[in-house]
Amino acid sequence: QMCIRDRLSTARPSSAQPPSSAPRGSRDGLCRLSISSLDGVGVGVRLTESTQIQIQFNGAKTVDNLLLHLAESGIISGTSRLVVTLGGQNRLSHHATLSAQGVTDGALLHLAAAPMLVTGPQAECVEVVCCHEGAVTCIDLFADGRIVTGCADTKVRIWSPDGDLLKEFVCHWDAINHLAIAEGDPDQERIVTASSDKTARVWDLTGRNLQVLEGHALAVWSVSVLKDARVVTGGLDETIRVWDKIHLNPSGVLALSSVCQIVVNLGAYAYCVDVMEATGHLVSGDSTGDIKLWESHQGEMEFSECVLKRHEAPIQALSATDKLVSGDSAGFVCVWELLDTAGILYGDCVMALDTRAHHITGLTCLVQFPDSRIASAGNDMVCIWGTDGTHQQSLVGHSDQVRAIARGQDNRLFTGGSDRQLRIWM
């Protein structure tokens, strides 16, 4: 299957005839539009707020179609970094029609460059990969920069650091919800996937299924790998399960079925499991909004008695490095500092963010930067937040919900969404 890069730059406006129902004030669906720019974007014609051009365009077509028309006319140089607003106020969706968004005859549209900041003021989306056949639901990275994506189309895909497809293979009977990488020697690198088919599975990089982790009664929603190479899964059956270590037996292959060592009844959907890089604690986030920390002692999973209570909506995302960052479906983010006093572990919320003004449909995923900035995703954008909780930038480009995010060691961001795209930002 051919991998199509940046479909916006190669697509052509549709030649389909407009529908018979034309917007009010137009003929045959055509609207007279005034186009200006809030920040001087444009090459063929230097647009400014006081310099406007007038065009006629079919109101039954999308904003993407309009931008492509402007690019082909030489009015703008490209389409991937532009935000379009009606009258400079209401931002328009790129994949909805103009008429459906209230654009009528005589409307004034403003163009503005979408701010994209990851590692510097000139950062932007440098690659768009569109050869997924379903929503991109999860992303993880090898230390050398190779990218792994899991999708609703049941496939795992492995990419080069620059976005070239290296390998793809079918993993499950149903959508892949999450994945984790187990690093090792080249012949011992593993990918662990969690699926709505009620199983998790362990794979080598050739696409060979090495282990099937069966036991959950409902969809497996999250997966992580402990420091001792045991696999942890969380499911909609309200359990967390700990499985045998990932390792090679003397014959060079793993037994196909794996033994579940520990079952923890959480009493709520286990949406997230992760491992604290600093302490090795297992962290779970559930549908009640509670975050719990667990310790592993001699093969047993022991509850540390540490429950972090601040969220009032289901936990959608966890990022566990030096600090623990959590995000919920209502759009609130908490930054936690974990403290160990006389052997008693507890957490203090040192910063709380309200992202609802940007993630109007709630938060779906997040990641931390080494300098303690946070990237959060919700609806069709990613937001970068400073260490003081201020909104720094928005990364705009996806045309549907962003469902997965990962950060590379070079601070590049990798995002995937329901638009079936993998985007690389730097």
Side-chain angles (χ1 to χ4, degrees), residues 64-80:
D64 273 345
N65 294 145
L66 172 63
L67 292 175
L68 286 167
H69 172 75
L70 295 176
E72 291 191 337
S73 301
I75 297 169
I76 60 176
S77 59
T79 66
S80 62

Side-chain angles (χ1 to χ4, degrees), residues 75-313:
I75 297 169
I76 60 176
S77 59
T79 66
S80 62
R81 295 192 62 193
L82 293 181
V83 171
V84 182
T85 59
L86 178 58
Q89 295 180 345
N90 297 326
R91 178 183 165 192
L92 302 182
S93 168
H94 278 228
H95 58 278
T97 65
L98 296 170
S99 58
Q101 301 183 80
V103 178
T104 57
D105 193 55
L108 171 62
L109 301 182
H110 286 292
L111 307 183
M116 298 178 181
L117 173 63
V118 179
T119 58
Q122 302 302 318
E124 61 181 357
C125 180
V126 296
E127 195 72 60
V128 183
V129 181
C130 306
C131 60
H132 298 90
E133 299 169 8
V136 181
T137 56
C138 44
I139 303 172
D140 205 350
L141 304 172
F142 283 101
D144 63 6
R146 285 171 297 162
I147 311 157
V148 183
T149 58
C151 298
D153 64 6
T154 75
K155 291 182 180 180
V156 158
R157 293 174 175 84
I158 304 172
W159 312 83
S160 74
D162 296 323
D164 297 317
L165 184 61
L166 303 176
K167 181 73 175 179
E168 67 173 10
F169 46 91
V170 175
C171 292
H172 290 274
W173 297 104
D174 207 337
I176 298 172
N177 298 318
H178 200 211
L179 64 80
I181 286 174
E183 297 269 13
D185 295 333
D187 62 343
Q188 294 185 352
E189 293 175 324
R190 302 289 182 255
I191 300 169
V192 189
T193 54
S195 171
S196 291
D197 67 5
K198 307 177 186 179
T199 70
R201 293 173 182 259
V202 180
W203 308 85
D204 68 14
L205 301 197
T206 68
R208 184 175 55 164
N209 187 194
L210 303 178
Q211 284 176 289
V212 180
L213 314 183
E214 292 184 291
H216 284 281
L218 294 171
V220 186
W221 211 253
S222 54
V223 64
S224 190
V225 180
L226 295 172
K227 289 187 174 181
D228 63 6
R230 286 182 297 167
V231 176
V232 180
T233 56
L236 300 190
D237 59 357
E238 303 185 352
T239 68
I240 295 173
R241 294 172 181 262
V242 183
W243 309 82
D244 276 346
K245 294 181 180 180
I246 301 174
H247 65 278
L248 291 172
N249 67 19
S251 65
V253 297
L254 287 159
L256 188 58
S257 60
S258 183
V259 176
C260 180
Q261 296 180 331
I262 304 168
V263 180
V264 177
N265 292 308
L266 199 61
Y269 296 152
Y271 284 140
C272 305
V273 291
D274 205 348
V275 179
M276 289 294 301
E277 291 183 8
T279 67
H281 284 87
L282 174 68
V283 187
S284 65
D286 62 43
S287 55
T288 69
D290 285 352
I291 300 167
K292 297 179 180 179
L293 279 78
W294 310 80
E295 296 178 275
S296 178
H297 294 295
Q298 297 179 348
E300 296 294 328
M301 190 62 62
E302 179 181 331
F303 179 43
S304 68
E305 303 298 331
C306 182
V307 182
L308 308 181
K309 289 182 176 288
R310 184 68 181 262
H311 294 279
E312 297 181 356

